[in-house]
Amino acid sequence: MARRVIYIHGFNSSEASFKAQQFGKWLARQPVDCEYLTPRLSFDPRIAITQLVTLIEEDTVLLGSSLGGYYATYLSQLYGLKAVVINPAVKPFDLLADYLGAQYNPYQKIHYELTLAHVDALEQLYYPRLVQPRLIMLLQQMGDEVLPYQQAVHYFIACEQRIEFAGDHSFVAFQRYFDTIVNFLDIT
């Protein structure tokens, strides 16, 4: 029975992400007793994880999209928390190595420098093999133009999965899975 639900946004996104807001508005209309948090995370993975850890309580569950799915996976496995990951990054340290240098997050309106230290920090959060796969559900659309969907399907093979043809990185028609998410995460 979840009391705290944390939505974890992706790279160069914010707490105002469409999926986070859409799910939060829907959840607020449901007969559930829970607290829904959508924290604004730092671009620095070390700080972002610290921010998230401070929000975790005994009855916490996670939703994470893209890089947020990577963070949710790490926290799920470390703390034994249920998580739903949506078009998640599996090895963001491999992908972001190509983006080193000046960055701009238009949703948080901040300029920053993506460094090798940030990429290394992401790699430190990687589980080569999930230790508690039953805690995670994968929502994946094969039309994801940002992240390789095959990587997620393979990595989360022992997890409950919902895989769809087409779609895109935003996860088209995300609202169709709200009941599925609530049931999997045991939000009551």
Side-chain angles (χ1 to χ4, degrees):
M1 165 181 354
R3 294 283 180 232
R4 177 168 282 185
V5 181
I6 302 173
Y7 183 96
I8 307 170
H9 67 73
F11 179 68
N12 277 346
S13 187
S14 77
E15 72 284 0
S17 83
F18 180 70
K19 286 188 294 292
Q21 296 304 306
Q22 187 184 32
F23 185 74
K25 288 175 184 171
W26 178 84
L27 191 61
R29 295 189 305 267
Q30 304 310 304
V32 296
D33 179 23
C34 70
E35 179 182 21
Y36 182 65
L37 304 177
T38 58
R40 173 178 285 203
L41 299 177
S42 171
F43 62 87
D44 185 325
R46 297 161 293 197
I47 296 172
I49 286 296
T50 300
Q51 289 174 288
L52 291 166
V53 167
T54 63
L55 298 176
I56 292 173
E57 294 183 347
E58 184 179 337
D59 295 325
T60 297
V61 294
L62 309 168
L63 278 87
S65 178
S66 193
L67 182 61
Y70 182 71
Y71 290 155
T73 299
Y74 170 75
L75 295 168
S76 165
Q77 299 303 281
L78 184 64
Y79 293 106
L81 306 174
K82 282 191 160 189
V84 172
V85 295
I86 307 137
N87 286 346
V90 174
K91 293 184 175 181
F93 43 89
D94 286 345
L95 299 170
L96 291 179
D98 293 338
Y99 293 89
L100 295 177
Q103 295 287 323
Y104 177 67
N105 182 329
Y107 304 101
Q108 295 185 22
K109 296 182 177 29
I110 60 165
H111 292 271
Y112 66 95
E113 186 86 12
L114 185 66
T115 68
L116 197 52
H118 297 132
V119 173
D120 290 343
L122 283 171
E123 192 165 4
Q124 297 302 310
L125 305 176
Y126 181 64
Y127 276 86
R129 194 172 68 87
L130 297 175
V131 294
Q132 300 183 78
R134 65 179 171 69
L135 294 176
I136 298 176
M137 174 189 282
L138 170 67
L139 298 181
Q140 182 69 52
Q141 290 187 333
M142 294 169 66
D144 188 336
E145 73 284 7
V146 176
L147 299 170
Y149 80 87
Q150 303 93 328
Q151 198 174 54
V153 171
H154 176 72
Y155 182 73
F156 293 100
I157 194 71
C159 302
E160 189 169 330
Q161 296 187 356
R162 300 289 190 281
I163 303 166
E164 296 186 343
F165 292 103
D168 63 26
H169 189 62
S170 72
F171 203 93
V172 175
F174 176 52
Q175 70 279 1
R176 293 174 294 126
Y177 285 96
F178 289 174
D179 285 322
T180 302
I181 290 168
V182 164
N183 290 333
F184 181 80
L185 295 177
D186 195 21
I187 300 171
T188 57

